[in-house]
């Protein structure tokens, strides 16, 4: 009897050791695949980070962080709903992923091209619809809800692309790895993006605090001035960075998911130094995105004119 108990105890120890090794291997796989997926979704994360502050910049200072929190919660909920859908599509209708990616890439190409057209004065800039100038509290809340809804729509489209790119990169991995990577990417995308957005939006408030409370320190006064004056410049720079990120990511997605564009990736491969990489990751995808963006803009303008 004691021998049987000892055997069972040894077997339990062996099973525990095996389970620990499997768990450790799974964690390593999830970590490695998450790092790879992050490199593929980095452009969209930059775009998301650059886009969201523009929705919040007109919000009253004391409501900025609550509004960011509202958007972040809805963004997290969206990703939580998208993850099981993405996994089901991968298993039961994998052919759907490529059209989703192409549609998302086309949308990013359109947005980036439109943004460039507005910046160079070729297209008329959209009038801001996020101003909070209504004195009535109920109307202010309604305006705030409208701001959140607009930001969540944009975030939702970018989240679809993040989840689609992620699931495409781990489609051949075990289901546990897929779920782990998707959950981690979703958390990183939400916490990272909205944490940075919160820091950016509160830059000027930190500057005003330093200016008003540390008037004896020349260094802190310099920092305060830099933060206060830097806020508009940072938002402007983010708009430009976001535009470039949209074009690069949109063009890259189209280039990798449309078979007739695969050969374009090798344009400039015989060039010296870093020019092949510059062509592959910047010049070619941006050019493709601009061409697609122009086609979409012309098509939409004709549809609007026809209606």
């Amino acid at each position: 009897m004691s021998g049987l108990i000892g055997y069972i105890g040894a077997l339990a120890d062996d099973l525990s050791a095996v389970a620990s090794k499997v768990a450790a291997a799974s964690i390593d796989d999830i970590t490695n695949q998450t790092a790879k997926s992050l490199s593929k979704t980095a452009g969209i994360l930059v775009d998301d980070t650059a886009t969201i502050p523009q929705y919040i910049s007109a919000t009253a200072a004391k409501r900025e962080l609550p509004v960011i929190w509202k958007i972040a919660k809805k963004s997290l909920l969206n990703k939580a709903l998208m993850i099981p859908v993405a996994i089901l599509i991968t298993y039961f209708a994998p052919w759907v992923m490529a059209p989703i990616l192409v549609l998302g890439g086309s949308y990013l190409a359109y947005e980036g091209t439109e943004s460039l057209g507005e910046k160079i004065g070729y297209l008329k800039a959209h009038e801001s619809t996020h101003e909070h100038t209504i004195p009535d509290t109920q109307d202010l809340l309604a305006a705030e809800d409208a701001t959140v809804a607009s930001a969540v729509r944009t975030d939702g489209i970018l989240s679809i692309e993040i989840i689609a790119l992620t699931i495409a990169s781990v489609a051949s991995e075990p289901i546990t790895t897929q779920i782990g990577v998707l959950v981690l990417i979703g958390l990183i995308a939400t916490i990272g993006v909205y944490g940075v957005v919160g820091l950016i939006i509160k830059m000027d408030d930190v500057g005003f605090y330093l200016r008003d409370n540390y008037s004896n320190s020349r260094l802190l006064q310099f920092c305060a001035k830099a933060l206060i004056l830097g806020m508009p410049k940072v938002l402007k720079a983010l708009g430009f960075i976001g535009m470039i990120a949209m074009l690069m990511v949109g063009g890259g997605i189209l280039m990798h998911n449309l078979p007739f564009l695969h050969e374009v990736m090798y344009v400039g491969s015989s060039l010296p130094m870093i020019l092949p990489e510059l062509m592959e990751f910047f010049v070619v995808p941006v050019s493709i995105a601009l061409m697609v963006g122009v086609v979409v803009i012309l098509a939409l303008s004709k549809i609007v004119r026809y209606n």
Side-chain angles (χ1 to χ4, degrees):
M1 185 71 178
S2 60
L4 179 60
I5 294 173
Y7 173 76
I8 293 173
L11 180 60
D13 289 340
D14 290 342
L15 290 174
S16 177
V18 170
S20 298
K21 289 179 180 178
V22 170
S26 297
I27 292 171
D28 287 341
D29 288 343
I30 290 171
T31 303
N32 293 333
Q33 291 299 326
T34 299
K36 291 178 183 178
S37 297
L38 275 176
S39 66
K40 295 180 180 181
T41 58
I44 302 178
L45 294 178
V46 170
D47 181 23
D48 209 358
T49 306
T51 303
I52 298 302
Q54 299 173 43
Y55 288 95
I56 306 163
S57 59
T59 304
K62 66 179 181 180
R63 294 296 303 162
E64 287 172 344
L65 291 181
V67 167
I68 291 172
W69 176 235
K70 282 184 180 181
I71 300 170
K73 285 192 294 184
K74 290 182 180 292
S75 175
L76 202 57
L77 178 61
N78 284 343
K79 292 181 180 71
L81 295 173
M82 292 174 192
I83 287 173
V85 172
I87 292 173
L88 288 173
I89 288 174
T90 301
Y91 277 87
F92 297 105
W95 56 270
V96 174
M97 295 307 297
I100 289 175
L101 287 168
V102 169
L103 284 173
S106 300
Y107 173 79
L108 292 174
Y110 159 71
E111 284 284 302
T113 305
E114 185 182 48
S115 178
L116 177 62
E118 291 173 356
K119 283 177 170 53
I120 63 177
Y122 188 77
L123 296 176
K124 184 179 178 181
H126 294 303
E127 293 182 5
S128 174
T129 57
H130 310 297
E131 296 295 334
H132 292 233
T133 57
I134 309 169
D136 184 78
T137 304
Q138 295 298 324
D139 290 337
L140 276 173
L141 291 175
E144 188 174 286
D145 289 342
T147 297
V148 171
S150 298
V152 169
R153 277 196 298 272
T154 300
D155 177 89
I157 293 168
L158 296 173
S159 293
I160 290 172
E161 288 302 295
I162 290 170
I163 298 300
L165 281 174
T166 302
I167 194 65
S169 69
V170 296
S172 60
E173 299 295 324
I175 183 67
T176 52
T177 302
Q178 291 181 16
I179 293 173
V181 171
L182 285 166
V183 169
L184 272 179
I185 291 291
L187 289 173
I188 291 170
T190 305
I191 296 170
V193 165
Y194 288 98
V196 173
V197 168
L199 290 174
I200 292 169
I201 288 295
K202 302 310 287 185
M203 271 178 56
D204 53 350
D205 288 348
V206 173
F208 287 124
Y209 178 82
L210 293 175
R211 186 195 65 182
D212 296 338
N213 292 275
Y214 295 93
S215 56
N216 295 329
S217 171
R218 297 179 67 179
L219 175 61
L220 291 179
Q221 285 298 302
F222 173 79
C223 292
K225 187 176 181 180
L227 288 170
I228 294 169
L229 297 178
M231 172 68 170
K233 292 180 174 61
V234 168
L235 288 175
K236 187 175 181 179
L238 282 174
F240 180 78
I241 293 169
M243 178 194 73
I244 296 298
M246 278 190 281
L247 292 171
M248 288 177 63
V249 174
I253 290 171
L254 294 171
M255 192 167 61
H256 286 90
N257 288 279
L258 292 174
F260 62 88
L261 290 178
H262 286 176
E263 294 300 320
V264 183
M265 289 188 286
Y266 305 105
V267 172
S269 58
S270 60
L271 294 173
M273 304 291 285
I274 63 167
L275 291 179
E277 288 77 13
L278 184 64
M279 291 291 293
E280 181 180 355
F281 297 108
F282 181 75
V283 176
V284 173
V286 168
S287 299
I288 290 172
L290 287 172
M291 287 188 284
V292 172
V294 168
V295 170
V296 174
I297 289 171
L298 290 175
L300 289 176
S301 65
K302 285 190 176 182
I303 291 170
V304 170
R305 195 177 305 151
Y306 178 79
N307 292 332

